[in-house]
Amino acid sequence: MGAPADAQTASRSKQRPFWKELPLLVAIALVVAFLIKTFLFQAFSIPSVSMQNTLQRGDRVLVDKLTPWFGSEPERGEVVVFHDPSDWLDGEPVPERNAVQNALSAIGLMPSANEKDLIKRVIAVGGDTVECRGNGPVEVNGKALDEPYIFPGNTPCGDKPFGPVTVPAGKLWVMGDHRQKSSDSRYHQNDPKTHGFVPVSDVVGRAVVVAWPVTRWSTLPVPDTFGQPGIGDQGKR
């Protein structure tokens, strides 16, 4: 049997109008977005051409921030976002934003503009020996890298040969895919603080997806060359 008519009427009268529920729903959505940005994923806007053609200036990527919480560290071949380790961005302009954009950035609905972060590809990890002579190729622990992701017309290191250098424990050697337009580890070897290496503790997370614009949607897998046999045999070159 149905509820008495007066009970149904009373129940409907107690229901709050949608416009009264809306502020609560918005607040919940903002909290969820903040938690996602803090613990799961964060948007990052590509600020330069240093990762072309893999990433274009203005692309938005999603950065996985969850995996590091479980002790995972960056691996060779991954594209990672990291905090500026030692004024690598000194002199670079920071885009100005209004209050609304800053609020959206704080909860992860827009890429952060306040933090000076960079995005590069991990070439070598702690314990690896890495070098590049002449026009290349780049070698990691004596294994030559096949790098089809390098910007067309670039050489692996023709503008800045280096090495051999051994990456300290807890550090990374990073390079941009647009080698002749990337101020990466090669150009900071004389820095007394970092010597060109990026501390693992400065890594925000791994870029896993190009999310915007939709016409460029794609994942960012680790290239096959970083899985070749023997590349992890440290101490060899």
Side-chain angles (χ1 to χ4, degrees):
M1 294 180 63
D6 56 345
Q8 292 181 355
T9 301
S11 176
R12 285 196 297 269
S13 65
K14 292 180 180 179
Q15 292 179 355
R16 301 174 65 182
F18 175 74
W19 66 268
K20 289 187 177 181
E21 298 283 356
L22 185 58
L24 177 60
L25 296 176
V26 171
I28 293 174
L30 293 176
V31 170
V32 171
F34 177 79
L35 293 175
I36 291 175
K37 177 251 185 180
T38 303
F39 299 106
L40 300 178
F41 292 95
Q42 181 173 355
F44 179 79
S45 180
I46 305 305
S48 71
V49 299
S50 69
M51 283 297 294
Q52 284 181 326
N53 271 339
T54 304
L55 299 171
Q56 301 290 345
R57 187 199 301 266
D59 282 354
R60 265 64 168 176
V61 298
L62 292 184
V63 178
D64 172 17
K65 300 179 68 175
L66 176 64
T67 306
W69 284 86
F70 294 94
S72 177
E73 294 190 354
E75 298 182 358
R76 305 176 194 93
E78 293 181 347
V79 176
V80 298
V81 172
F82 55 95
H83 299 312
D84 189 342
S86 181
D87 297 325
W88 286 21
L89 290 175
D90 187 35
E92 293 290 333
V94 177
E96 294 184 3
R97 290 189 170 183
N98 58 39
V100 174
Q101 290 173 319
N102 287 334
L104 293 176
S105 176
I107 60 174
L109 296 180
M110 285 189 67
S112 173
N114 296 324
E115 295 180 349
K116 287 191 172 184
D117 294 338
L118 300 93
I119 185 166
K120 305 289 181 188
R121 188 180 299 276
V122 177
I123 300 298
V125 299
D128 287 344
T129 298
V130 58
E131 65 179 312
C132 185
R133 296 294 184 181
N135 288 326
V138 175
E139 295 185 14
V140 178
N141 298 322
K143 299 296 181 180
L145 298 182
D146 177 19
E147 301 185 281
Y149 47 79
I150 291 179
F151 187 78
N154 278 195
T155 59
C157 65
D159 59 318
K160 189 70 172 178
F162 65 92
V165 295
T166 299
V167 184
K171 303 294 179 63
L172 305 170
W173 181 271
V174 300
M175 299 172 71
D177 290 356
H178 196 161
R179 294 289 159 82
Q180 274 70 72
K181 292 289 185 178
S182 177
S183 179
D184 46 40
S185 288
R186 298 170 294 162
Y187 288 89
H188 298 278
Q189 296 179 76
N190 293 327
D191 176 14
K193 179 181 178 182
T194 68
H195 302 288
F197 304 113
V198 175
V200 171
S201 58
D202 283 346
V203 174
V204 176
R206 175 187 174 186
V208 292
V209 172
V210 180
W212 186 265
V214 293
T215 55
R216 285 186 42 76
W217 189 95
S218 62
T219 58
L220 296 169
V222 173
D224 292 340
T225 191
F226 291 95
Q228 62 179 292
I231 196 170
D233 294 341
Q234 297 181 337
K236 298 182 179 181
R237 50 176 289 263

